[in-house]
């Protein structure tokens, strides 16, 4: 067998045997170095280390740590109450509250899975009690949580920025427009669903109650303001704002809300360390695997076979969307970004396509894939949290996936949705 065939056979075989993604990636790379690549074997270690060496990756564990702290604390409940006081009385208000709550918490945590846990726990019982079908409820929570990947902070954007050599700060700002557009589409669909299914409304809150909710949630709302405002105004870099987010999360939950004890931070830090280790192992293994397939000239063969080297910008953008969408349906999103980004970025640069637009589009497709069968990670998080079978969890997802794909198409034809804010801030 040649190198390309060997890589595919090894990876598929190990995946079918149930090994986590890091094992097939590393194993395929080791076999390639040992039997097919006439270069010193220590380069495999160098590639793994170089994959996790970029300074920008320091932001990853800090954003994960901040997300873990606020997930354990009272931030989610206060954001839910804030959203409920302003939109809960309208038709479909509870569903709109769920979408808005996921967006707000995503802007605090930057994690889709943390958002599923934090929003799904308190809101799913309320929606079921109000008359919403469980399939709609779970699908809304899962897919609205994906806005967390677009609204800064976003680990997906950090990884893409490092691999694609694109400004992470500009990527963070670019995700705001598509994130808000998804929120509006989900809210409109929720209102329509509530009207069709005659979901009852609840009384309008008084302005006094709204004022109290704003005061209670004020410190939590300042979280995304610090992140987005600091980057937009050029006061801090994404790495620096990650450090600020950890400090603010501790101040918020330990000192202001008093929902987390000082001694609990050690346990939270230990959990963050485990998650960070998994992420960095994937990054190191993925970087090495990208080196192997580049050495084997597999990307050039694929691009040539699809005639993408002579394609126009729209064709390239649609090819990127399809490749990342399908890839994230089966493989961990970070791995997909690490493997596919080096393949497509030369095409993007040669065609003169804005890399910020590409990074936003890739992040959106990663978000869609996180909630898309068969192996979207948010689906299995929902199964664990809601304790419902796989078929029930995915039953209501098609309308939301269609709306997300619509946003991807709109991004391709109207790139200003993503590029307007970063162009205003950085140019």
């Amino acid at each position: 067998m040649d190198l390309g065939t060997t890589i595919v056979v090894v990876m598929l075989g190990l995946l079918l045997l149930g090994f986590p993604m890091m094992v097939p990636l590393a194993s395929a790379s080791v076999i390639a170095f040992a039997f097919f690549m006439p270069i010193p074997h220590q380069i495999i270690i160098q590639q793994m280390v170089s994959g996790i060496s970029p300074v920008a990756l320091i932001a990853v564990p800090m954003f994960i740590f901040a997300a873990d702290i606020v997930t354990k604390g009272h931030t989610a409940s206060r954001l839910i109450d804030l959203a409920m006081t302003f939109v809960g009385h309208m038709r479909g208000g509870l569903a709109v509250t769920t979408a808005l709550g996921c967006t707000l918490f995503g802007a605090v945590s930057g994690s889709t899975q943390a958002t599923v846990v934090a929003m799904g726990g308190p809101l799913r019982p309320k929606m079921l009690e109000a008359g919403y079908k469980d399939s709609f409820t779970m699908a809304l929570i899962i897919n609205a949580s994906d806005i967390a990947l677009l609204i800064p902070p976003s680990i997906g954007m950090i990884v893409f920025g490092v691999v694609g050599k694109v400004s992470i700060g500009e990527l963070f700002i670019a995700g705001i427009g598509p994130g808000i557009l998804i929120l509006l589409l989900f809210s409109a669909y929720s209102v329509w669903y509530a009207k069709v299914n005659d979901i009852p409304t609840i009384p309008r809150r008084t302005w006094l109650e709204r004022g109290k909710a704003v005061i209670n949630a004020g410190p939590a709302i300042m979280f995304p303001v610090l992140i987005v405002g600091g980057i937009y105004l050029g006061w801090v870099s994404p790495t620096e704002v990650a450090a600020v987010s950890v400090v603010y999360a501790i101040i918020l939950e330990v000192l202001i809300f008093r929902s987390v004890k000082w001694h609990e931070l050690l346990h939270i830090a230990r959990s963050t360390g485990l998650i960070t280790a998994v992420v960095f192992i994937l990054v190191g293994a993925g970087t090495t695997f990208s080196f192997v397939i580049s050495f084997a000239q597999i990307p050039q063969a694929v691009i040539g076979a699809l005639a993408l080297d002579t394609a126009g910008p729209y064709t390239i953008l649609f090819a990127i969307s399809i490749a990342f969408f399908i890839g994230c349906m089966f493989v961990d999103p970070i791995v997909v970004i690490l493997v596919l980004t080096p393949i497509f970025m030369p095409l993007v640069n040669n065609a003169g396509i804005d890399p910020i637009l590409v990074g936003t589009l890739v992040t959106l497709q990663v978000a869609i894939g996180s909630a898309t069968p068969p192996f979207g990670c948010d689906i299995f998080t929902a199964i664990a949290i809601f304790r419902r079978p796989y078929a029930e969890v995915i039953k209501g997802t098609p309308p939301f996936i269609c709306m997300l794909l619509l946003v991807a198409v709109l991004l391709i034809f109207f790139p200003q949705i993503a590029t307007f804010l970063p162009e205003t801030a950085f140019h």
Side-chain angles (χ1 to χ4, degrees):
M1 291 190 294
D2 61 9
L3 175 56
T5 304
T6 302
I7 289 173
V8 172
V9 170
V10 170
M11 291 191 67
L12 286 178
L14 292 174
L15 285 172
L16 290 173
L17 289 173
F19 286 94
M21 192 64 210
M22 64 186 74
V23 175
L25 277 176
S27 299
S29 300
V30 168
I31 290 173
F33 270 91
F35 297 104
F36 293 95
M37 300 173 68
I39 55 178
H41 293 170
Q42 62 263 31
I43 290 180
I44 189 172
I45 304 299
Q46 294 175 1
Q47 287 296 315
M48 287 185 175
V49 173
S50 67
I52 60 174
S53 295
V55 175
L57 288 177
I58 296 174
V60 172
M62 288 190 285
F63 279 132
I64 293 174
F65 188 30
D68 286 347
I69 293 171
V70 297
T71 300
K72 188 175 179 59
H74 288 171
T75 296
S77 61
R78 292 176 185 243
L79 291 175
I80 290 171
D81 188 55
L82 176 66
M84 182 72 76
T85 58
F86 282 92
V87 301
H89 64 277
M90 60 188 291
R91 178 70 71 176
L94 188 54
V96 175
T97 295
T98 300
L100 180 57
C102 288
T103 302
L104 292 174
F105 190 79
V108 172
S109 70
S111 167
T112 60
Q113 292 168 290
T115 306
V116 170
V117 174
M119 294 290 116
L123 285 172
R124 177 170 170 258
K126 292 182 180 180
M127 291 188 67
L128 295 178
E129 185 179 349
Y132 291 92
K133 293 180 180 178
D134 202 12
S135 57
F136 170 85
T137 300
M138 290 188 289
L140 173 63
I141 293 170
I142 292 169
N143 288 276
S145 296
D146 291 338
I147 301 175
L149 274 182
L150 289 165
I151 301 289
S154 169
I155 292 175
M157 285 183 171
I158 295 173
V159 175
F160 178 87
V162 169
V163 177
K165 296 178 174 59
V166 181
S167 168
I168 297 172
E170 292 187 53
L171 286 172
F172 275 8
I173 302 300
I176 296 174
I180 292 174
L181 179 58
I182 294 169
L183 169 62
L184 294 175
L185 286 174
F186 284 6
S187 299
Y189 177 66
S190 297
V191 172
W192 174 84
Y193 179 92
K195 288 182 178 179
V196 170
N197 291 275
D198 197 26
I199 304 295
T201 59
I202 62 175
R204 182 189 299 265
R205 299 286 184 92
T206 66
W207 282 106
L208 178 61
E209 291 174 314
R210 291 176 177 177
K212 290 180 179 178
V214 170
I215 293 172
N216 288 335
I221 292 295
M222 284 301 298
F223 213 118
V225 171
L226 285 172
I227 294 173
V228 176
I231 294 174
Y232 191 89
L233 295 174
W235 292 345
V236 288
S237 69
T239 304
E240 291 167 340
V241 86
V244 172
S245 70
V246 172
V247 174
Y248 191 73
I250 293 173
I251 293 172
L252 194 69
E253 298 295 353
V254 177
L255 300 179
I256 298 177
F257 296 161
R258 298 184 181 276
S259 56
V260 176
K261 306 299 182 184
W262 283 107
H263 67 86
E264 293 178 305
L265 291 176
L266 179 62
H267 301 289
I268 297 172
R270 185 181 295 117
S271 172
T272 298
L274 292 173
I275 297 172
T276 302
V278 172
V279 172
F280 276 34
I281 291 172
L282 283 173
V283 171
T287 302
T288 308
F289 184 77
S290 296
F291 177 83
V292 169
I293 63 174
S294 296
F295 182 89
Q297 296 189 327
I298 294 174
Q300 293 86 335
V302 172
I303 289 171
L306 298 176
L308 291 177
D309 47 351
T310 58
Y314 288 125
T315 302
I316 293 173
L317 288 172
F318 273 107
I320 290 172
S321 295
I322 293 169
F324 277 88
F325 175 68
I326 294 175
C328 290
M329 290 169 60
F330 298 94
V331 182
D332 186 276
I334 291 178
V335 174
V336 176
I337 294 174
L338 290 166
V339 173
L340 294 185
T341 300
I343 294 176
F344 285 107
M345 284 309 291
L347 287 175
V348 169
N349 295 327
N350 291 337
I353 303 172
D354 189 342
I356 299 299
L357 170 64
V358 175
T360 309
L361 188 63
V362 165
T363 306
L364 175 57
Q365 294 297 345
V366 167
I368 299 172
S370 298
T372 302
F375 300 120
C377 59
D378 288 347
I379 294 174
F380 294 97
T381 301
I383 291 172
I385 296 301
F386 303 144
R387 299 185 179 181
R388 304 305 303 164
Y390 180 89
E392 286 187 26
V393 171
I394 66 170
K395 183 179 179 181
T397 56
F400 294 98
I401 294 173
C402 289
M403 285 183 277
L404 290 167
L405 292 175
L406 172 62
V407 173
V409 173
L410 291 174
L411 268 180
I412 293 174
F413 288 107
F414 303 98
Q416 297 83 0
I417 297 171
T419 60
F420 174 74
L421 286 177
E423 285 176 356
T424 303
F426 297 97
H427 303 288

